Amino acid sequence: MNAVGTLEAYPTTDYRSYRMTVHSELRPQRESETSMRFSKSLRANFYLASGFAIALFSSSPVHSQTREEKVLGDKLKFESNGLWYYNDLTSAFETAKKTNQPLLVVLRCIPCEECVKLDDDLLESDPQLQRLLKSFVRVRIVGTNGLDLSLFEFDTDQSFAVFFFNADRTLYGRYGTRSDRTAWESDVSVQGLGKALESVLQLHRGYPANREMLVGKQANQPLFATPEKIPSLASKYTGKIDYQGNVVKSCIHCHQIGDAMREHYRTDQGKLPEEWLFPYPHPKSIGLILDPKECATVLQVVKNSPADASGFQVGDKIESLQSQSIISLADVQWVLHHVSSDSGTVNAIVRRGEQSVPLSIALSNGWRTKEDLSWRVSSWPLRQKGLGGMLLKPSTDEERSSLGIDATQMALTVQHVGMFAPHDRAKKAGVEKGDVLIEYDGRRDFLRETDLLAHAINKIKTGQSVPMQFRRGEEVRKAAITTAP
């Protein structure tokens, strides 16, 4: 699982120059966050002494911890309290069989500062969660080495995800998502997790009579059984984290699974399937804004969206999609992820007052491409391959006005240019930070970086030189950047 919460958190990609640029800007924020974490560490002693089993506390900042210290410290803490299975799914399933309890499995990136915050906010102090979690066998997995991909299929751009299983390995549902690099508040909450836990316990009580509603939630048969068997990872990693050696470098992060699979498809097919280029569409891409404090309950319906056309109303609680029980926003994304990229229909049943109301969502060709890729950690390898290492943002209205470019034309301002190989091809072509990209491959209709990335990855052949035009003040500059494998 990758540390995607800060600009410093892309361990498999070279962003040294970008990190140096933003370091001074982030320092005051980090010092403030450190102070907040210190106050939390003072509470830790009280909670641990009182037997609060699920506390996930950040470390006292006597010194700045290395990634290795964070990983080893997390292992020591959870193994010593004896109430979580740590990287031991097999023993957890055995216990669940004996106790007839459901499993709660947390996939968690230790170094990720945003995930420290998420861990604290979701699991530190809510008494309702304490009570509910006692009904689960709890498992903490901090690396994906050896992870059974026939059980765990998920959005690999996340660094915190929760899975709920029956002891026979039937999946009840998923919790946890993100639609922004740092902001989680619109997607997850303490209350929302509590509602998901209650829903899982209800499903568990009804199992196996409700098995039909769970069939579609199970992971598909993977191309590779475990992450270290994916070709680009096979020569670098083993099936276990090396706690006795280089613990940090031995760990396979979540995002590396997605990156490796995209590399496999691009090598094998010359392009990416759209479900790998635009994975796990967020409900807002079809016009559904869900309440993070509830269990898949509609907070807002975007006008003139597919959800609006299908008749969704504020307050509707989604009971099922495609005949699958729904416990969270992540479950909705699972269903959308498996809808055809060309077009499709999603059948829903919502609870509206005292009634169950059937609805049908019609998705037209291209619906999936409305997603935004720019926040995803996986967008960095795509930028390297298709854009030569440029990071682009839509130009502001002021920038457009100064350049005489109207809102219907392409204007993407270069925010960053990679300084080191293999991310320096744009730099070598003469591109500089602040340049405005106005034409790519003869086209001027790409209004988002996402649209440009999709075209570069799936429409341009590997090794092809792509002509581009930039504005640098009043000057129009031309450049050609070759796409990479």
Side-chain angles (χ1 to χ4, degrees):
M1 279 141 277
N2 185 35
V4 296
T6 72
L7 293 173
E8 293 189 320
Y10 301 96
T12 63
T13 318
D14 186 353
Y15 302 115
R16 284 174 284 177
S17 61
Y18 194 33
R19 294 201 299 265
M20 288 186 290
T21 301
V22 301
H23 181 75
S24 60
E25 298 176 3
L26 291 178
R27 182 177 297 158
Q29 175 185 340
R30 287 186 185 129
E31 291 174 350
S32 174
E33 291 173 349
T34 297
S35 176
M36 292 175 63
R37 288 198 297 275
F38 180 66
S39 66
K40 288 183 177 180
S41 72
L42 294 177
R43 296 199 300 271
N45 291 331
F46 168 76
Y47 286 123
L48 289 174
S50 61
F52 181 36
I54 63 168
L56 306 178
F57 307 109
S58 51
S59 300
S60 175
V62 175
H63 68 284
S64 180
Q65 285 190 313
T66 66
R67 293 183 66 189
E68 182 174 7
E69 287 172 332
K70 290 178 182 179
V71 173
L72 293 176
D74 188 83
K75 183 175 187 291
L76 176 63
K77 177 176 63 181
F78 278 87
E79 287 185 336
S80 63
N81 72 31
L83 296 171
W84 286 76
Y85 285 95
Y86 201 85
N87 290 340
D88 187 1
L89 195 59
T90 300
S91 296
F93 274 119
E94 292 174 356
T95 298
K97 287 181 181 179
K98 295 175 183 177
T99 62
N100 191 32
Q101 290 178 295
L103 271 77
L104 177 151
V105 183
V106 174
L107 297 186
R108 165 76 165 90
C109 172
I110 300 307
C112 176
E113 291 305 317
E114 280 300 316
C115 285
V116 169
K117 180 177 181 295
L118 185 65
D119 261 351
D120 289 346
D121 289 349
L122 289 183
L123 300 179
E124 182 178 279
S125 59
D126 188 82
Q128 174 74 352
L129 291 183
Q130 296 179 53
R131 180 183 66 80
L132 291 169
L133 283 170
K134 291 178 181 178
S135 299
F136 290 83
V137 176
R138 285 152 278 173
V139 188
R140 188 169 177 86
I141 297 177
V142 297
T144 66
N145 306 59
L147 190 69
D148 185 349
L149 296 180
S150 69
L151 289 178
F152 297 92
E153 184 179 349
F154 62 103
D155 185 349
T156 59
D157 277 309
Q158 292 195 84
S159 48
F160 180 95
V162 184
F163 299 79
F164 305 99
F165 292 96
N166 182 274
D168 67 4
R169 302 187 178 232
T170 296
L171 182 72
Y172 288 130
R174 299 163 172 82
Y175 185 85
T177 188
R178 68 192 310 165
S179 56
D180 185 87
R181 182 176 54 79
T182 58
W184 294 76
E185 292 80 3
S186 63
D187 295 320
V188 295
S189 71
V190 169
Q191 298 93 324
L193 178 57
K195 296 291 177 64
L197 292 172
E198 291 174 345
S199 296
V200 171
L201 291 175
Q202 184 176 351
L203 287 172
H204 185 66
R205 288 191 290 269
Y207 189 80
N210 55 9
R211 190 191 297 268
E212 287 189 5
M213 295 190 70
L214 304 173
V215 172
K217 305 183 84 165
Q218 309 311 304
N220 298 298
Q221 188 62 36
L223 287 177
F224 305 98
T226 56
E228 70 275 5
K229 301 211 182 276
I230 304 173
S232 64
L233 301 178
S235 62
K236 304 174 184 177
Y237 299 96
T238 66
K240 293 183 178 180
I241 297 176
D242 183 8
Y243 281 105
Q244 304 306 316
N246 195 326
V247 61
V248 173
K249 289 188 177 180
S250 70
C251 178
I252 302 176
H253 299 286
C254 282
H255 82 95
Q256 290 176 277
I257 300 174
D259 291 345
M261 287 303 300
R262 277 180 279 274
E263 183 175 337
H264 169 76
Y265 279 115
R266 198 156 185 251
T267 300
D268 187 57
Q269 301 179 10
K271 64 178 184 178
L272 297 181
E274 280 210 341
E275 61 268 25
W276 278 97
L277 185 56
F278 293 95
Y280 293 89
H282 196 280
K284 64 186 178 183
S285 68
I286 64 169
L288 276 178
I289 310 299
L290 301 183
D291 189 341
K293 297 180 180 181
E294 297 293 337
C295 182
T297 300
V298 178
L299 183 65
Q300 180 183 349
V301 181
V302 178
K303 289 185 178 181
N304 302 318
S305 67
D308 186 30
S310 68
F312 272 91
Q313 296 180 11
V314 172
D316 285 349
K317 180 182 183 298
I318 303 175
E319 294 185 327
S320 71
L321 289 175
Q322 301 294 72
S323 300
Q324 299 177 33
S325 61
I326 300 297
I327 68 167
S328 71
L329 190 154
D331 271 356
V332 176
Q333 287 182 278
W334 170 263
V335 172
L336 292 177
H337 181 65
H338 292 89
V339 176
S340 170
S341 298
D342 297 327
S343 61
T345 300
V346 178
N347 295 315
I349 295 178
V350 302
R351 171 63 60 175
R352 185 176 295 166
E354 299 300 319
Q355 294 183 317
S356 289
V357 180
L359 300 173
S360 182
I361 311 169
L363 301 176
S364 60
N365 186 37
W367 70 273
R368 189 185 288 264
T369 62
K370 297 185 184 301
E371 277 285 288
D372 176 27
L373 302 180
S374 63
W375 67 268
R376 292 179 173 271
V377 65
S378 59
S379 65
W380 285 102
L382 300 182
R383 292 183 183 106
Q384 186 274 120
K385 296 175 187 300
L387 305 181
M390 292 186 292
L391 170 66
L392 304 169
K393 297 289 185 183
S395 301
T396 64
D397 291 342
E398 183 179 352
E399 289 171 329
R400 284 179 173 275
S401 178
S402 67
L403 296 173
I405 302 175
D406 66 42
T408 65
Q409 293 180 306
M410 177 178 175
L412 298 171
T413 300
V414 178
Q415 300 289 306
H416 169 69
V417 183
M419 301 297 290
F420 306 97
H423 309 274
D424 60 349
R425 297 193 312 284
K427 174 179 176 289
K428 289 180 177 178
V431 180
E432 297 181 1
K433 180 180 178 180
D435 288 349
V436 177
L437 180 61
I438 60 173
E439 184 175 298
Y440 181 93
D441 193 29
R443 293 178 53 174
R444 299 194 173 200
D445 57 339
F446 298 115
L447 300 182
R448 304 181 302 166
E449 185 193 49
T450 289
D451 305 323
L452 191 59
L453 286 172
H455 180 83
I457 295 300
N458 273 357
K459 301 298 182 182
I460 305 295
K461 292 182 180 179
T462 297
Q464 180 177 332
S465 179
V466 184
M468 306 181 193
Q469 288 190 29
F470 296 84
R471 285 286 298 273
R472 186 178 297 170
E474 296 297 322
E475 182 183 6
V476 176
R477 301 177 64 89
K478 295 183 179 181
I481 299 177
T482 303
T483 57

